[in-house]
């Protein structure tokens, strides 16, 4: 059996959580492979909205193993809070949630470092979620980090202190005070106690053995391809590999074991935080998208920047991920638009027209070249099948499929589990 991968093709918040929850009944295992509490994955069903940060989005379905893989950076305090939320809904995390011993732990000082680094960047700040992601991955790559399995080691506290000493030296260089630290540490150690009672496993064995025995696994990406550490709009990116290859290293699954790759994208574009966004709108159209799409961050509440769909960027994401099926989200957000714009190319300052992403996304003044199409300009509330879609929406889907050379197998028309139309 091969492992399917689901990931975001834009700058995150494409609706991955909704789709994982929708698809989960077809799977035995759902596994997160990178990122950490910077993610906010929203699920809506039975009139209730749930936001998950580190726990895989299969957790609300019965009989599914949800695994947090080795590639994830985990904040014990956030995890404890998330589990407390689940308990309110009688979700059996003892049976259904498993954590890799090789996942990396976010310490309180990682969060302080995140804030110090961002502050020092001034206007050039990344717009990080300040959850400690960058500094924790730095320590992982720097071979300093503490891992989940270390929680079980008798010298955990000494190793913690040694790392915090290093962090304190860096923090004092940045002029940060450590006033908050004792309070943060109190919460941290309380959460660590709880953490030790969870199912801590060798997830690479678990996943490979379950694939061998014919069980179906879905890898759930966080963030999006344009935030990828290698291929995103560097340095305005996150610190992990958000692409299909990241699912291999973040779970210990060989490339030859990858099956379908589901690419999730919005019918338009959004971005939170700083960095280039060629199709960004600064007018009423952007405002309307933000309002209709409720485009405010699930993790930080920040307003999301909004703009038209960007085909050069989507083609790039499809290429680097080997996407086999596309799912288009939030079509309903465009209901009020009489016209819809599609960015087909970029025009550079020197007049050059490009169909691909230039190396220099950050300082290059990229002008989007748009094709304008007629919008459907009506409600999709009553639509339950693809055939019932207004012809303009079907034309939009057909145009995108042709341009992107990949089938769009699902269109989402609302946040609820049920508002999902298969094609
Ligand atoms: P993720 O990070 O990719 O899981 O996405 P988020 O949960 O951060 O953001 C997606 C937002 O859009 C959430 O508030 C979802 O409830 C909402 N959403 C998902 N699909 C649709 C849709 O088809 N239409 C509308 N209007 N909202 C949607
Ligand atoms: P999900 O999984 C959207 C953005 C931040 C910032 C940059 C770096 O919900 O799609 P970090 O905290 O990783 O150092 O921030 O990446 N970012 C996201 N944007 N969705 C996310 O996750 C994001 N996770 C990080 O806003 O610009
Ligand atoms: Mg999100």
């Amino acid at each position: 059996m091969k492992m399917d991968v689901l990931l975001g093709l834009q700058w995150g918040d494409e609706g991955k959580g909704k789709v994982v929850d929708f698809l989960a009944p077809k799977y035995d295992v759902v596994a997160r492979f990178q990122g950490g509490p910077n993610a906010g994955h929203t699920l809506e069903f039975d009139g209730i909205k749930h936001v998950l940060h580190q726990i895989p989005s299969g957790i609300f379905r019965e009989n599914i193993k949800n695994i947090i893989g080795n590639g994830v950076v985990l904040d014990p305090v956030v995890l404890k809070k998330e589990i407390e939320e689940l308990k309110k809904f009688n979700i059996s995390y003892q049976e259904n949630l498993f954590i890799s011993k090789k996942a990396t732990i976010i310490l309180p000082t990682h969060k302080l470092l995140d804030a110090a680094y961002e502050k020092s960047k001034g206007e050039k700040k990344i717009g990080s979620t300040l959850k400690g992601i960058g500094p924790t991955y730095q320590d992982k790559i720097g071979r300093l980090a503490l891992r989940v399995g270390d929680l079980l080691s008798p010298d955990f506290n000494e190793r913690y202190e040694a790392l915090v000493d290093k962090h304190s030296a860096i923090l004092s260089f940045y002029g940060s005070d450590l006033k908050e630290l004792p309070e943060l540490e109190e919460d941290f150690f309380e959460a660590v106690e709880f953490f030790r009672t969870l199912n801590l496993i060798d997830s690479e064995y678990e996943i490979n053995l379950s694939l061998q025995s014919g069980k179906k696994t879905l890898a759930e990406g966080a963030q999006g391809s344009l935030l990828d550490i290698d291929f995103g709009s560097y340095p305005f990116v996150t610190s992990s590999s958000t692409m299909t290859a990241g699912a291999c290293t973040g779970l210990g699954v060989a490339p030859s074991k990858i099956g379908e790759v589901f690419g999730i994208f919005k019918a338009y574009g959004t971005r939170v935080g700083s960095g280039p966004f060629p199709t960004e709108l600064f007018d009423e159209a952007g405002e309307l998208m933000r309002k209709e799409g409720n485009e405010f961050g699930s993790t930080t509440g920040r307003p999301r920047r909004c703009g038209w769909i960007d085909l050069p960027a989507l083609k790039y994401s499809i290429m680097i991920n080997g996407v086999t099926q596309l799912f288009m989200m939030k079509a309903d957000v465009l209901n009020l638009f009489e016209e819809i714009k599609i960015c087909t190319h970029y025009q550079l300052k020197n007049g050059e027209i490009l169909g691909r992403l230039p190396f220099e996304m950050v300082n290059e003044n990229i002008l989007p070249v748009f094709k304008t199409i007629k919008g459907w300009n009506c409600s999709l509330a009553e639509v339950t099948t693809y055939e019932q879609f207004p012809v303009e929406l079907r034309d939009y889907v057909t145009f995108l499929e042709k341009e992107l050379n990949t089938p769009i197998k699902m269109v989402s028309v609302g946040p609820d589990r049920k508002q999902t139309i298969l094609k």
Side-chain angles (χ1 to χ4, degrees):
M1 189 58 77
K2 296 196 170 186
M3 178 174 82
D4 296 339
V5 182
L6 182 147
L7 31 76
L9 301 181
Q10 293 158 319
W11 280 285
D13 303 327
E14 295 89 351
K16 299 176 290 294
K18 168 176 167 163
V19 184
V20 172
D21 168 66
F22 177 82
L23 294 177
K26 295 194 173 145
Y27 290 90
D28 303 294
V29 177
V30 176
R32 273 280 302 269
F33 58 90
Q34 46 68 237
N38 49 350
H41 294 183
T42 315
L43 287 65
E44 242 183 89
F45 52 88
D46 301 338
I48 302 175
K49 181 168 153 173
H50 306 270
V51 182
L52 296 167
H53 299 287
Q54 308 179 119
I55 295 178
S57 302
I59 198 73
F60 290 97
R61 301 289 202 170
E62 278 171 23
N63 302 323
I64 293 179
K65 253 189 185 155
N66 287 269
I67 299 182
I68 300 178
N70 55 280
V72 173
V73 290
L74 260 180
D75 184 332
V77 180
V78 177
L79 190 68
K80 184 160 171 275
K81 278 203 198 113
E82 285 195 79
I83 291 177
E84 274 158 13
E85 276 303 305
L86 292 182
K87 282 188 198 160
K88 292 185 196 159
F89 298 93
N90 290 325
I91 301 300
S92 51
Y93 68 93
Q94 287 104 334
E95 285 92 64
N96 293 343
L97 181 65
F98 300 83
I99 303 167
S100 168
K101 287 188 195 157
K102 294 194 171 81
T104 308
I105 304 175
I106 301 177
L107 308 187
T109 38
H110 284 130
K111 287 182 267 190
L112 299 179
L113 284 167
D114 212 352
Y117 292 148
E118 277 288 78
K119 196 168 159 218
S120 75
K121 290 193 175 101
E123 284 196 347
K124 295 200 172 123
K125 72 172 185 186
I126 308 295
S128 159
T129 59
L130 302 179
K131 303 291 176 192
I133 307 298
T136 308
Y137 276 117
Q138 265 180 304
D139 275 353
K140 172 177 173 172
I141 302 301
R143 299 169 292 194
L144 294 167
L146 293 168
R147 300 188 293 173
V148 168
D150 296 329
L151 292 172
L152 307 176
S153 147
D155 65 352
F156 177 77
N157 284 22
E158 286 105 87
R159 291 166 70 184
Y160 170 87
E161 292 299 339
L163 188 51
V164 168
D165 282 349
K166 286 197 174 70
H167 292 165
S168 302
I170 306 172
L171 286 164
S172 70
F173 172 81
Y174 280 95
S176 306
D177 67 52
L178 294 169
K179 265 198 306 225
E180 281 173 81
L181 189 57
E183 206 181 317
L184 293 173
E185 283 188 324
E186 199 176 309
D187 290 347
F188 177 77
F189 280 103
E190 196 189 313
V192 156
E193 269 315 300
F194 172 69
F195 207 127
R196 291 187 174 115
T197 67
L198 301 173
N199 300 307
L200 311 183
I201 61 164
D202 297 313
S203 60
E204 62 278 33
Y205 278 110
E206 183 71 37
I207 291 177
N208 280 293
L209 291 174
S210 82
L211 286 172
Q212 269 170 33
S213 67
K215 295 218 168 97
K216 293 197 72 186
T217 299
L218 179 64
E220 172 181 1
Q223 290 78 55
S225 300
L226 305 175
L227 288 170
D228 180 79
I229 184 68
D230 285 282
F231 298 103
S233 44
Y234 195 87
F236 300 98
V237 293
T238 191
S239 298
S240 64
S241 178
T242 61
M243 51 193 294
T244 306
C248 295
T249 56
L251 294 170
V253 171
S256 58
K257 297 268 162 54
I258 299 296
E260 295 291 323
V261 179
F262 306 124
I264 313 293
F265 70 101
K266 278 179 196 173
Y268 49 100
T270 63
R271 172 163 206 169
V272 234
S274 331
F277 180 7
T279 62
E280 182 168 11
L281 289 164
F282 300 93
D283 58 6
E284 316 85 76
E287 202 49 60
L288 189 60
M289 283 176 191
R290 191 170 308 112
K291 183 164 160 279
E292 290 298 301
N294 190 23
E295 294 295 358
F296 296 88
S298 319
T299 298
T300 57
R302 291 177 291 177
R304 296 179 183 141
R305 300 155 64 192
C306 296
W308 296 115
I309 201 162
D310 180 337
L311 296 188
L314 275 178
K315 286 177 187 170
Y316 185 72
S317 297
I318 290 168
M319 172 181 81
I320 60 174
N321 286 304
V323 171
T324 59
Q325 300 186 22
L326 291 165
F327 298 161
M328 184 168 90
M329 310 302 290
K330 304 189 89 159
D332 55 301
V333 174
L334 300 183
N335 286 352
L336 298 179
F337 287 83
E338 279 170 23
E339 285 186 337
I340 289 171
K341 291 192 179 180
I342 303 169
C343 167
T344 56
H345 293 84
Y346 295 156
Q347 182 171 16
L348 303 187
K349 248 184 292 190
N350 63 8
E352 194 187 346
I353 304 275
L354 280 184
R356 50 162 74 189
L357 263 58
F359 167 73
E360 190 50 277
M361 279 283 278
V362 177
N363 298 321
E364 186 69 63
N365 190 5
I366 299 170
L367 278 180
V369 179
F370 288 116
K371 172 185 166 71
T372 303
I373 62 164
K374 199 165 169 282
W376 43 99
N377 205 214
C378 64
S379 165
L380 299 175
E382 305 301 322
V383 170
T384 53
T385 65
Y386 187 76
E387 288 64 40
Q388 292 168 354
F389 275 176
V391 64
E392 294 85 356
L393 175 52
R394 273 185 279 146
D395 287 349
Y396 187 42
V397 171
T398 309
F399 178 79
L400 294 177
E401 283 185 316
K402 198 158 156 269
E403 282 288 312
L404 302 172
N405 202 17
T406 315
I408 297 178
K409 296 275 193 166
M410 178 207 281
V411 179
S412 176
V413 295
D416 194 89
R417 220 182 233 175
K418 295 202 189 96
Q419 294 168 301
T420 312
I421 313 293
L422 295 175
K423 181 160 156 278

